[in-house]
Amino acid sequence: MNKKVWSISTTVRNTERLKDFLATLSEIDGRAWDGLAQMEFQARLIKNRVYGFSNSQFYSGLDKNLIKLIDNPNNEISLDKAMEIFEAKKL
């Protein structure tokens, strides 16, 4: 079995947020952890409003329509749109 080491930032270690990060991670359960899976995970964090939501620093540089999409919890963010946001932020 090939095991890979995980590095977890202080953002994830925050116990208030860990539950949401793990719930999002479960959405890609069973996939190999590679660069593509990591990008999708980060996009899913945006999609699920775990990362970036209501954060003026994150909104900086984003198109106003994307900010409106993210900022209104009644708007569903598709995975494709979340990937677009992820790419725009170059996270």
Side-chain angles (χ1 to χ4, degrees):
M1 178 190 279
N2 185 7
K3 294 185 179 183
K4 294 190 178 195
V5 177
W6 280 48
S7 175
I8 299 177
S9 75
T10 55
T11 302
V12 179
R13 287 192 302 245
N14 177 332
T15 56
E16 297 290 319
R17 299 180 77 192
L18 188 57
K19 176 183 67 131
D20 295 327
F21 274 81
L22 292 173
T24 300
L25 185 60
S26 74
E27 295 176 15
I28 58 171
D29 187 36
R31 289 196 35 207
W33 188 254
D34 57 14
L36 185 59
Q38 184 173 350
M39 287 189 308
E40 183 179 328
F41 173 62
Q42 290 176 280
R44 286 180 181 275
L45 291 173
I46 294 167
K47 176 186 180 300
N48 297 339
R49 292 181 173 84
V50 176
Y51 186 79
F53 176 66
S54 192
N55 181 322
S56 60
Q57 183 177 355
F58 181 81
Y59 293 167
S60 178
L62 285 179
D63 178 86
K64 290 180 183 186
N65 290 326
L66 292 177
I67 295 170
K68 287 180 185 178
L69 174 66
I70 300 167
D71 212 29
N72 184 343
N74 294 319
N75 293 333
E76 183 176 334
I77 303 173
S78 70
L79 184 55
D80 286 340
K81 192 56 79 170
M83 284 296 285
E84 179 183 333
I85 295 165
F86 172 78
E87 290 293 329
K89 291 304 296 181
K90 296 183 174 107
L91 299 173

